[in-house]
Amino acid sequence: MQEINFTTQDILQKEFKEKRMGTAYDPTDVDSFLDLVIKDYEMFNREISQLRAENEQLSGKVDDLTRQVNARQSVQSNVETSTSQANNSVTNMDILKRLSNLERHVFGSQLDNGANNQKGQDTFSTGSQSGWND
């Protein structure tokens, strides 16, 4: 921000020298004009103070809203991660079911015979016990 050259007091206390030669300004006109300038300065100072206070208030609101947005994004990220993990689990489970159904369809009789021969042992525990030839 640029420096302010005059305060209202500077303007109020300013004394103008009179010239001996030529035309001089009417002191009452100059004083009237300076009074108007002083009123403008006072109004500008009040407005600047008001705008600074409003700026601080709005900056505080922006900070609060930024914190809220960050918190919501964090929660949303956690929810998306949980949903993604749940979807992966469902997808993996679906794949295992489909694979099991496919094995039963293709190797059904061999798997059933292998289960009867193994007497309760898990037929899928190793590749060699699944009925597949290595």
Side-chain angles (χ1 to χ4, degrees), residues 1-11 14 41 45:
M1 190 167 147
Q2 295 179 349
E3 273 188 47
I4 297 173
N5 294 317
F6 302 106
T7 65
T8 54
Q9 283 295 20
D10 294 335
I11 296 168
K14 177 66 178 166
Y41 262 72
N45 285 333

Side-chain angles (χ1 to χ4, degrees), residues 42-92:
E42 289 171 346
M43 185 204 52
F44 291 142
N45 285 333
R46 281 193 305 270
E47 189 170 343
I48 288 170
S49 296
Q50 177 188 357
L51 291 172
R52 283 183 179 159
E54 185 179 346
N55 189 20
E56 287 180 27
Q57 178 188 11
L58 292 174
S59 292
K61 283 184 179 181
V62 166
D63 291 342
D64 290 343
L65 291 173
T66 301
R67 280 189 224 108
Q68 289 177 7
V69 165
N70 289 339
R72 286 183 182 172
Q73 285 176 343
S74 176
V75 168
Q76 186 177 9
S77 175
N78 291 340
V79 167
E80 288 174 356
T81 301
S82 298
T83 303
S84 175
Q85 289 173 349
N87 287 341
N88 287 342
S89 297
V90 170
T91 303
N92 290 342

Side-chain angles (χ1 to χ4, degrees), residues 21 24 57 60 72 97 124 132:
M21 302 164 125
Q57 178 188 11
R72 286 183 182 172
K97 286 179 181 178
F124 296 102
W132 296 351

